[in-house]
Amino acid sequence: MYKTMEKTREIYSLLQDDLSKEVFKARLAFDLEPTMTNAMNLLLLNQDLSRGQAAEVRDWKKTLQVIKKENKNLAIYGAGGCGKQAARTLFDDNIEFYGFCGRKGPEGYSNGMLMGKPVISPQYLLEHKSDFYVMICTTSFSEIMDVLNAGNFPQEYILRWE
């Protein structure tokens, strides 16, 4: 363990600018504790983010508070690898969410559950759109947006996990 820390300090000392050092520390924090907070802190150091994108990242916590205040549910749209990673991150940050939305619906999962959370179908989500915010977490983003737009899902209730 000591050798690992010694090597980490050595690498850090070789970084030549403040931004590189901040990114290094933020990445270590995320690797040690992959929480939403640490992910957002790392994202905010990305120099390629536009002001609007940076504002979206900062607004995540506010959006989660709004969801709770409005007594709405947060569903992760995507029950594959990305959705599971998002769920683990939310779990690690103690952020409550309803469950998952997946193409197969509950029938595709043991007891209709994934990671201890219910899985709903896109049809169910659209039938109950006033009850949900949805966080899209899949590589098929445009396909999912087409489904949500066709079902008149409110745009302000759609979040994107990246």
Side-chain angles (χ1 to χ4, degrees), residues 26-126:
R27 181 59 202 227
L28 278 176
F30 179 75
D31 288 343
L32 290 170
E33 193 176 10
T35 63
M36 181 69 85
T37 300
N38 286 339
M40 295 303 126
N41 290 340
L42 183 58
L43 273 173
L44 285 170
L45 292 170
N46 182 341
Q47 297 293 298
D48 293 330
L49 284 181
S50 69
R51 285 184 184 191
Q53 289 169 320
E56 279 182 39
V57 170
R58 285 188 196 94
D59 287 344
W60 260 94
K61 290 272 188 190
K62 289 180 191 170
T63 301
L64 293 171
Q65 290 170 348
V66 167
I67 292 170
K68 191 173 185 174
K69 183 178 178 183
E70 291 180 359
N71 203 26
K72 299 209 183 283
N73 296 306
L74 174 63
I76 296 174
Y77 201 126
C82 180
K84 291 175 189 172
Q85 178 58 45
R88 280 190 287 276
T89 302
L90 294 174
F91 284 138
D92 287 346
D93 231 5
N94 295 315
I95 296 171
E96 186 57 40
F97 67 100
Y98 175 82
F100 298 87
C101 179
R103 260 182 280 207
K104 300 174 192 172
E107 296 78 26
Y109 301 89
S110 176
N111 296 322
M113 304 288 277
L114 178 63
M115 298 176 76
K117 297 285 188 175
V119 179
I120 59 174
S121 67
Q123 180 180 349
Y124 182 90
L125 179 68
L126 293 173

